[in-house]
């Protein structure tokens, strides 16, 4: 339990307990009456010397500090203070005022307690600090590798037509090699070779006819 920065204004005993209060934390309380309890060091409270004169108007429930010279101003404990006072005004951490109000102006700047319910006062809002937006890095599209043109298949060299070996065109039974040799040596051309063969053929035909006539004459 912590009891700090409170004002207890009474003509009688302000703090009274039959139990030992050594386990309770007391700090910067202002009291006008007496203390009747064990475990409440005198260093944890101050004497409200002026009584009701410390406040603007106790009779009208206005417990705002009467002036900056009040014994309540600047005597609070910043370790246990709240962020805002009873008027929802920010408290000073450098000069904490004991009680419900943080002294800031000569008169009460906010609500004075009455027999009615305190209206709800919206807490002052601070415009949110815009969060800087870091643009996302643009990932470049991968560069497409150029398509390699297909290597054309080598065109096969045309196979030369085989050279036809010269052949003898006559029934002389010359071999191709013999005809080729004769032509290469220039002794005769194909035409000459063919002509000579024609003459030999005619000669053989005449000889054959004569031989046949002789044989026929003998048989008769």
């Amino acid at each position: 339990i912590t009891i700090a920065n409170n004002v207890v204004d009474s003509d009688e005993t302000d703090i009274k307990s039959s139990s030992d209060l050594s386990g309770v934390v007391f700090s910067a309380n202002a009291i006008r009456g007496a203390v009747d309890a064990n475990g409440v060091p005198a260093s944890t409270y101050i004497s409200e010397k002026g009584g009701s004169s410390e406040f603007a108007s106790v009779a009208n429930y206005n417990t705002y500090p009467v002036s900056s010279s009040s014994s309540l101003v600047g005597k609070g404990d910043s370790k246990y203070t709240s962020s805002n006072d009873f008027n929802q005004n920010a408290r000073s951490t450098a000069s904490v005022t004991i009680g419900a109000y943080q002294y800031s102006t000569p008169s009460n700047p906010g609500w004075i307690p009455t027999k009615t319910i305190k209206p709800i006062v919206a807490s002052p809002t601070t415009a949110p600090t815009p969060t800087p937006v870091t643009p996302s890095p643009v990932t470049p599209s991968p560069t497409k590798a150029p398509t390699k043109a297909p290597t054309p298949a080598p065109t096969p060299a045309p196979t030369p037509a085989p050279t036809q070996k010269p052949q003898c065109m006559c029934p002389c039974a010359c071999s191709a090699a013999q005809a080729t040799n004769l032509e290469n040596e220039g002794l005769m051309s194909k035409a000459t070779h063919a002509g000579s063969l024609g003459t030999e053929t005619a000669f053989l035909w005449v000889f054959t006819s004569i031989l046949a006539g002789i044989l026929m004459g003998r048989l008769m």
Side-chain angles (χ1 to χ4, degrees), residues 121-144:
V121 179
S123 301
T125 57
T126 304
T129 303
T131 304
V133 178
T134 304
S136 301
V138 178
T139 304
S141 301
T143 303
K144 186 177 180 181

Side-chain angles (χ1 to χ4, degrees), residues 57-70:
S57 177
V58 174
N60 295 321
Y61 309 106
N62 187 0
T63 57
Y64 187 80
V66 67
S67 68
S68 60
S69 60
S70 169

Side-chain angles (χ1 to χ4, degrees), residues 144-165:
K144 186 177 180 181
T147 304
K148 186 177 180 181
T151 304
T155 304
T159 303
T163 303
Q164 187 176 5
K165 296 181 178 180

Side-chain angles (χ1 to χ4, degrees), residues 106-186:
S107 60
N108 192 338
W111 186 72
I112 298 173
T114 64
K115 293 182 180 181
T116 60
I117 299 174
K118 180 186 177 185
I120 298 175
V121 179
S123 301
T125 57
T126 304
T129 303
T131 304
V133 178
T134 304
S136 301
V138 178
T139 304
S141 301
T143 303
K144 186 177 180 181
T147 304
K148 186 177 180 181
T151 304
T155 304
T159 303
T163 303
Q164 187 176 5
K165 296 181 178 180
Q167 296 181 357
C168 183
M169 303 300 295
C170 63
C172 67
C174 292
S175 65
Q178 291 173 336
T180 301
N181 290 336
L182 291 174
E183 292 176 6
N184 291 339
E185 293 173 2

Side-chain angles (χ1 to χ4, degrees), residues 41-61:
S43 60
T44 62
Y45 60 90
I46 64 173
S47 176
E48 185 194 336
K49 300 175 183 179
S52 297
S53 63
E54 295 284 352
F55 307 104
S57 177
V58 174
N60 295 321
Y61 309 106

Side-chain angles (χ1 to χ4, degrees), residues 1 5 52 97-98 109 148 151 183 197:
I1 298 174
N5 297 330
S52 297
T97 301
I98 297 174
K148 186 177 180 181
T151 304
E183 292 176 6
L197 290 177

